[in-house]
Amino acid sequence: MAKVDTSLVAHLPLFAGVTPEALDEILREARSARYPKNSAIFEQGADAQSFFLLLHGHVRAAKTTPTGEQIVVRYVAPGETFGLAMAIGAARYPATAIAVDDSVVLIWPTSAWPRLVERFPSLAANTLQAVGTRLQESHTRILEMSTQQVEQRVAHALLRLAKQSGKKLDQGIEIDFPISRQDIAQMTGTTLHTVSRILSGWESQGLVESGRQRIILRDPHGIVVLAERSADSGAV
Amino acid sequence: MAKVDTSLVAHLPLFAGVTPEALDEILREARSARYPKNSAIFEQGADAQSFFLLLHGHVRAAKTTPTGEQIVVRYVAPGETFGLAMAIGAARYPATAIAVDDSVVLIWPTSAWPRLVERFPSLAANTLQAVGTRLQESHTRILEMSTQQVEQRVAHALLRLAKQSGKKLDQGIEIDFPISRQDIAQMTGTTLHTVSRILSGWESQGLVESGRQRIILRDPHGIVVLAERSADSGAV
DNA sequence: CTCGCAGTTTGCGATAGCGCAAAACGGGAC
DNA sequence: GTCCCGTTTTGCGCTATCGCAAACTGCGAG
């Protein structure tokens, strides 16, 4: 019952240093599932019964305060894992995961993790690397929020999204999943109003083209100028 | 040449699931060093030649922008590791580490890490746990910076410091290492002026006692009231 | 083709907190 | 005991950004 073709995932960093046979064994413990656009994959606070590997689509991880404010923790791109609560010894998910596009994921039961890392220590090392990278990114984000103004933060956020999930078009680079002003606000610690104003400004300068949940960084102007702006206060 | 007594570190989470013999072998690869107050242990951008375990003292990790602004990434408490650049596959330190008190550390060469994790997979798992926890804390910090006002953030920061490194006194809980207004500002994304104003306010309300690089949360009022304030906007 | 609504734009007043400047303070060095 | 310097306090004007409110728009459902 090899539901998943190993060749689809063998090249992922997560499985670096894992033999084909081992990979086969690892995949045998997983099942796959499809989540339609805008459906929840797991909710913050729920029992962390599974962890996930995104195969297709895009997933937004968001954290909510008791008073209802949200922030976007990250967007998950294909090939990345998410929902690794067990890796930090947490019994519950610290955030909510929503498919922002029709998405396909591999799902392992959390209970399988200890056995897997014991049999395949590379998994732990590879996961450590991924989590460490995310920690770095978090620190960069904190640095930005502390030292830069909103416009620079938005510029940097868009550039990162374009890099992570950009689709090359004739006019420029389009962010390859639906994203609202509100989402960007929640990534940069501001309000959708301010984001809207900033994007309007850029649009009238010909730096971006944007519409309903859709943003294109115009090449070359947009990308170059935004990079300058995001660097003005010395983002890394 | 067992420089380090295993009994001093055997109980640390980092070494959970490591046999005494293995621990002995691990420690044989380390050397210890003492850093006087205010000395740099490593600088941001330098080659990550070593990673560290803090035995005594306190260390501040700070990140600097090209324009010179700094933020405090974290304070390292005894028993914690720092400088794990290799864990994220970075060749250079992403932050600067300064001893804020006379400090004693164990030092391993970065080059020893791959061999250590191969021989002792628990190390990777334990480190993953630690890094994962720090990632969580980073996310909480981002959430706070996005949704709370400065006073709440400062309240929460002090409570965390008190919990991590608080020394019980008759009057209350003292943060057990020198910390300036500027440091707190750099932890909470504000300016030393604002921190000073806030602390002055709290002092006149009898919630804290503070002086030069010294802060005491007065028990019970200070701790209780600050906890309320930090929770007002729903911090986790 | 039309309607309805989620998402977006825009205006405007309010304000938290910054930035600068200057004075006060206190601990350590000698 | 005195001096000096790093830290802290405090005042004040300024502005980036919020928060609310209202109008607009384009997509998708039917």
Side-chain angles (χ1 to χ4, degrees):
Chain A
M1 79 163 222
K3 287 182 179 172
V4 182
D5 187 349
T6 59
S7 70
L8 286 173
V9 296
H11 67 284
L12 296 178
L14 174 63
F15 298 124
V18 172
T19 67
E21 306 79 53
L23 180 53
D24 209 65
E25 185 178 337
I26 294 169
L27 291 179
R28 240 193 313 270
E29 308 233 15
R31 64 190 178 88
S32 72
R34 184 184 158 281
Y35 289 89
K37 183 170 167 173
N38 291 327
S39 60
I41 300 175
F42 56 78
E43 301 272 357
Q44 176 172 342
D47 273 358
Q49 290 168 336
S50 314
F51 63 94
F52 304 81
L53 171 62
L54 183 61
L55 294 179
H56 293 299
H58 286 278
V59 170
R60 179 181 63 229
K63 223 168 147 67
T64 310
T65 66
T67 51
E69 291 114 323
Q70 277 203 344
I71 62 154
V72 173
V73 172
R74 66 162 175 154
Y75 279 93
V76 183
E80 297 181 343
T81 52
F82 63 103
L84 301 176
M86 75 290 166
I88 68 162
R92 299 168 178 283
Y93 294 114
T96 294
I98 308 267
V100 293
D101 251 350
D102 290 352
S103 298
V104 180
V105 300
L106 287 185
I107 309 180
W108 284 264
T110 293
S111 56
W113 177 254
R115 185 162 20 92
L116 288 176
V117 291
E118 187 167 354
R119 282 184 57 78
F120 313 110
S122 323
L123 280 184
N126 295 338
T127 301
L128 176 57
Q129 184 117 344
V131 172
T133 301
R134 282 164 55 194
L135 180 60
Q136 273 314 110
E137 290 165 357
S138 277
H139 288 163
T140 298
R141 195 165 155 188
I142 291 172
L143 187 68
E144 284 181 21
M145 292 190 64
S146 299
T147 62
Q148 302 190 163
Q149 341 210 115
V150 174
E151 185 173 9
Q152 301 171 315
R153 303 206 300 266
V154 173
H156 201 183
L158 290 190
L159 288 170
R160 268 179 287 168
L161 287 174
K163 193 180 216 171
Q164 190 206 37
S165 304
K167 190 167 74 179
K168 186 89 189 70
L169 300 183
D170 293 350
Q171 315 107 48
I173 297 178
E174 176 172 12
I175 293 170
D176 200 23
F177 53 84
I179 185 166
S180 69
R181 307 290 185 265
Q182 173 81 67
D183 294 326
I184 296 170
Q186 290 175 347
M187 295 181 70
T188 52
T190 180
T191 64
L192 78 165
H193 308 278
T194 301
V195 171
S196 178
R197 283 180 239 271
I198 288 171
L199 286 182
S200 295
W202 290 346
E203 186 133 25
S204 67
Q205 293 170 52
L207 304 179
V208 305
E209 223 167 294
S210 79
R212 244 180 150 56
Q213 322 221 99
R214 187 163 158 286
I215 297 174
I216 300 172
L217 306 190
R218 294 190 54 178
D219 205 4
H221 274 70
I223 293 161
V224 173
V225 177
L226 290 196
E228 282 169 14
R229 302 214 176 160
S230 74
D232 270 357
S233 232
V236 179
Chain B
M1 78 164 225
K3 287 181 180 173
V4 182
D5 187 348
T6 59
S7 69
L8 285 174
V9 296
H11 68 283
L12 296 178
L14 174 63
F15 298 123
V18 172
T19 65
E21 305 80 55
L23 180 54
D24 208 65
E25 185 178 337
I26 294 169
L27 291 179
R28 240 192 314 271
E29 309 234 13
R31 65 190 176 88
S32 72
R34 182 183 160 283
Y35 288 89
K37 184 170 167 173
N38 291 327
S39 61
I41 300 176
F42 55 79
E43 301 271 358
Q44 176 171 342
D47 272 358
Q49 291 168 336
S50 315
F51 64 95
F52 303 81
L53 172 62
L54 182 62
L55 295 179
H56 292 298
H58 286 278
V59 170
R60 179 181 63 228
K63 224 169 145 67
T64 310
T65 67
T67 50
E69 291 114 322
Q70 277 204 344
I71 62 155
V72 173
V73 172
R74 66 162 174 154
Y75 279 93
V76 183
E80 296 181 343
T81 52
F82 64 101
L84 301 176
M86 75 290 166
I88 69 163
R92 300 168 177 283
Y93 294 115
T96 295
I98 308 266
V100 294
D101 252 349
D102 290 353
S103 297
V104 179
V105 301
L106 287 185
I107 308 180
W108 284 265
T110 293
S111 56
W113 177 254
R115 184 163 21 91
L116 287 176
V117 290
E118 187 167 354
R119 285 183 56 77
F120 313 109
S122 323
L123 279 183
N126 295 339
T127 301
L128 177 56
Q129 185 117 343
V131 172
T133 301
R134 282 164 54 192
L135 180 60
Q136 274 313 111
E137 290 165 357
S138 277
H139 288 163
T140 299
R141 194 164 156 188
I142 291 172
L143 187 67
E144 285 180 21
M145 292 191 64
S146 299
T147 61
Q148 302 190 163
Q149 334 212 118
V150 173
E151 185 174 10
Q152 302 172 315
R153 303 205 300 264
V154 173
H156 202 184
L158 290 190
L159 288 170
R160 269 179 288 166
L161 288 174
K163 193 179 215 172
Q164 191 206 36
S165 305
K167 189 167 75 182
K168 186 90 189 71
L169 300 184
D170 291 352
Q171 316 106 46
I173 298 177
E174 175 171 13
I175 292 169
D176 201 21
F177 53 83
I179 185 167
S180 70
R181 307 291 184 264
Q182 174 82 68
D183 293 327
I184 296 171
Q186 291 176 346
M187 295 181 71
T188 52
T190 182
T191 64
L192 78 165
H193 307 278
T194 300
V195 172
S196 178
R197 283 179 238 272
I198 288 171
L199 286 182
S200 295
W202 289 347
E203 187 133 25
S204 67
Q205 292 170 53
L207 303 179
V208 306
E209 223 168 293
S210 79
R212 244 181 149 59
Q213 322 223 97
R214 187 162 158 287
I215 297 174
I216 301 172
L217 307 190
R218 294 191 52 178
D219 205 5
H221 273 71
I223 293 160
V224 173
V225 176
L226 290 195
E228 282 168 15
R229 301 212 177 163
S230 75
D232 271 356
S233 231
V236 178

